[in-house]
Amino acid sequence: MRFDPFYLNSAVASLDQTSVMEQLLTNEISSGSHVNSLSDDPVAAGENVLLSSQLNLDDSFSQTESSTVGMLQVTDSTLGSVVSQLTKALTLATEGNNGTLNASDLQSISTQIAGIRDEVLSLANTTYMNRYIFSGSQGGTSPYTLNSAVTPNTGTYNGDAVTSSITTPGGQKIQSNVPGSQIFSNPTNDVLQTLNNLVADFATGTASANAISDTTALNSALNYVGQQRVVIDNSITQLQAAQSYTQAQGTQITSAQTSLMQADVAQVSTQLSTAETQQAALTQVVNILEKNNGDLFSLL
């Protein structure tokens, strides 16, 4: 009988395919993953790359958000202390303007306001994680220095007016700082210069002609600092809301990745059992064909 390799080759090819499938299914069960290489499921692998990219973006935002909120909370607390100090100074200045105090009392008020000015100056130079929070983008530069060689004393701002922001994964930009020049030395509400003026107003023991207007300016500066706290508080609220959304999104993405990539063990086990049965049958067919020179009819 002439040897015909057709049936034998077909059977061997089918056996090889079944063996490959059996190996893939075995790998899927052992790894627990539906996709162990790009060729296993190109569509699922591509979707997983996009999901992973979004997760990385969310993780990066979460880390930045945590440090930014920490800095903003320190900023808010610092401004709260500034408000407290300015309130004390306003009380003293108002008392100094009532016309009933003697020279010694007025000089004492000047000294006390000078102490408050120094405290506010120190607060304006607050740091967080070794960075000055009121220097704009110049975090390594102490924002304020005091020139006591002139009367009234003057405060010099050494930072810049750059306002920074943080972008959420959704594209929202949220303000993340307030430069000192916007808070302590704003041309309309100059906190430090107003305090310096009041120190000089009462230093001689006689309230100067500018004392009342400077006291009014201090009240305006006090209200202005309170308004800047609102800006900070709004940023904190927005960032925390964005963080909550990002965390919820991360949970959803992780769940989607699990559904996309995780192997269905029950289904794969059934497929593997079928493949093993087919392999056994095909192995038997190949053995018979090899013994009978590829004669298919000998199987009948």
Side-chain angles (χ1 to χ4, degrees):
M1 178 181 295
R2 180 181 178 185
F3 174 68
D4 184 353
F6 175 77
Y7 295 114
L8 178 59
N9 291 341
S10 296
V12 170
S14 296
L15 179 60
D16 290 342
Q17 291 175 357
T18 301
S19 297
V20 170
M21 178 58 67
E22 183 182 356
Q23 185 59 51
L24 290 174
L25 293 171
T26 300
N27 290 341
E28 191 169 338
I29 289 178
S30 62
S31 68
S33 176
H34 166 60
V35 181
N36 293 295
S37 66
L38 179 62
S39 61
D40 291 343
D41 190 334
V43 173
E47 291 179 3
N48 185 59
V49 168
L50 294 177
L51 292 174
S52 295
S53 177
Q54 184 62 52
L55 270 183
N56 290 336
L57 185 64
D58 289 349
D59 288 342
S60 177
F61 169 75
S62 293
Q63 294 175 9
T64 303
E65 185 271 348
S66 179
S67 61
T68 301
V69 167
M71 184 190 72
L72 288 173
Q73 288 173 334
V74 170
T75 302
D76 179 62
S77 176
T78 301
L79 293 183
S81 297
V82 171
V83 167
S84 178
Q85 293 297 318
L86 294 182
T87 300
K88 293 177 183 178
L90 183 61
T91 299
L92 289 168
T94 301
E95 183 181 351
N97 287 321
N98 66 19
T100 64
L101 302 182
N102 59 36
S104 177
D105 292 333
L106 292 176
Q107 288 173 334
S108 175
I109 285 177
S110 175
T111 300
Q112 291 179 70
I113 294 177
I116 290 172
R117 184 273 320 278
D118 292 343
E119 178 63 23
V120 171
L121 186 70
S122 176
L123 290 168
N125 289 329
T126 295
T127 61
Y128 175 74
M129 296 180 69
N130 298 318
R131 302 283 291 178
Y132 291 97
I133 62 178
F134 294 116
S135 286
S137 66
Q138 306 299 313
T141 301
S142 178
Y144 283 98
T145 52
L146 180 69
N147 181 3
S148 58
V150 296
T151 302
N153 298 163
T154 58
T156 301
Y157 182 60
N158 306 304
D160 59 36
V162 175
T163 299
S164 303
S165 64
I166 178 174
T167 303
T168 69
Q172 179 186 12
K173 289 186 177 297
I174 300 174
Q175 185 172 333
S176 59
N177 78 317
V178 179
S181 57
Q182 185 174 321
I183 302 174
F184 301 100
S185 50
N186 182 284
T188 305
N189 295 281
D190 195 325
V191 173
L192 289 173
Q193 194 55 52
T194 300
L195 289 172
N196 283 324
N197 291 342
L198 285 168
V199 170
D201 288 339
F202 301 111
T204 62
T206 302
S208 75
N210 295 324
I212 293 178
S213 61
D214 287 337
T215 300
T216 300
L218 180 61
N219 185 61
S220 177
L222 171 60
N223 292 330
Y224 179 73
V225 173
Q227 293 170 8
Q228 298 309 298
R229 287 191 73 187
V230 173
V231 174
I232 297 299
D233 291 341
N234 285 342
S235 291
I236 292 173
T237 299
Q238 290 176 318
L239 283 169
Q240 290 176 333
Q243 175 73 318
S244 295
Y245 174 81
T246 299
Q247 290 175 338
Q249 183 183 59
T251 299
Q252 294 174 348
I253 291 176
T254 300
S255 177
Q257 280 188 307
T258 299
S259 299
L260 184 68
M261 304 296 288
Q262 189 175 51
D264 184 336
V265 177
Q267 182 183 47
V268 174
S269 294
T270 299
Q271 293 173 336
L272 178 59
S273 178
T274 300
E276 289 172 341
T277 300
Q278 291 175 341
Q279 184 184 45
L282 286 169
T283 298
Q284 184 179 13
V285 169
V286 168
N287 289 336
I288 293 175
L289 287 173
E290 287 177 341
K291 291 180 180 179
N292 293 276
N293 293 323
D295 182 7
L296 178 64
F297 295 102
S298 64
L299 298 175
L300 300 178

